[in-house]
Amino acid sequence: MRPMAFLRSEQGAVTTDWVIMATATLGLGLASMSVISRGANDVSGDIDAFLADTDVHASAAFAPFAPMVLAAFDFAQGAAAGWVGGWPVNVGGALGDVLQIGPKETASLTVDVPDGADTATLTFDLIGMDSIDREPATISINGSPVLLGRGDFGQITFTDLSGENIGVTLTEVARRQELGGNTRPGWTESITTVTLTVDNPDDQLTLSVYSDTNQNRGDESYALDNLVIEAS
Ligand SMILES: [Ca+2]
Ligand SMILES: [Ca+2]
Ligand SMILES: [Ca+2]
């Protein structure tokens, strides 16, 4: 029987027609399944590769770092736990309790920086006292000099030595004022608030201040006060 005649024909065994139609439908189903499963395999493979390549930082994505204070010192009553070098003393006058640094001495403090901190900010007063005559103080972070201060009878001139990942901000608070130490005429003090901003700090951060003065602390000195180190 020709195909058109077969389609028009209303005779014949139903079972025979059913077998032909069912076979055709099954074949179509198998062909579709093959195409769909290949596509599904491709997509699941892509998802697997994406997840394997994606590093999930839970703390950064879901819990922003909470700023915290790592250290704070006003040296009241000689409190200077953790400092190496320097003299926590009362120099009298308006200055009172400070950390005084003797000739050719380094005062340093090391703090741990918590995971997740993007920035460490150090703020402190650098004080030039009495008869400093151009011997510098060198301020370093983790052993690298970032700032040089050259004291000269009641004022300090600064040179920024910091690299790309450290920012330096200086605010002069006092110049040629009698604020403590030796009160001989002209042996005045200066105070500069120094802020150091360290990007991507290491796990440990060491602040050190070296004094290149060449006479005793009653004669000339640098001193530190009001230090705060924060992580954010
Ligand atoms: Ca103080
Ligand atoms: Ca003085
Ligand atoms: Ca000197």
Side-chain angles (χ1 to χ4, degrees), residues 18-75:
W18 169 250
V19 167
I20 293 165
M21 281 159 57
T23 305
T25 307
L26 182 66
L28 188 63
L30 286 171
S32 305
M33 199 169 76
S34 168
V35 170
I36 291 169
S37 71
R38 229 178 292 134
N41 279 339
D42 283 353
V43 171
S44 67
D46 289 350
I47 292 170
D48 181 49
F50 175 78
L51 290 176
D53 289 347
T54 303
D55 209 0
V56 179
H57 294 286
S59 61
F62 307 116
F65 185 83
M68 65 175 75
V69 174
L70 305 181
F73 288 91
D74 64 4
F75 305 106

Side-chain angles (χ1 to χ4, degrees), residues 131-135 153 212-216 219-221:
S131 68
I132 297 176
D133 41 356
R134 300 193 55 73
E135 298 92 350
F153 285 94
D212 201 36
T213 49
N214 57 5
Q215 282 142 296
N216 67 65
D219 218 65
E220 61 181 10
S221 65

Side-chain angles (χ1 to χ4, degrees), residues 2 18 32-33 46 48 53 64 78 94-95 104 116-117 120 132 134 139 143 152 172 181-182 189 193 204 208 216 221:
R2 290 177 185 167
W18 169 250
S32 305
M33 199 169 76
D46 289 350
D48 181 49
D53 289 347
L95 289 173
K104 314 299 179 193
I132 297 176
R134 300 193 55 73
I139 296 160
D152 190 9
E172 189 178 66
N182 198 313
E189 280 64 54
T193 300
Q204 280 200 325
S208 56
N216 67 65
S221 65

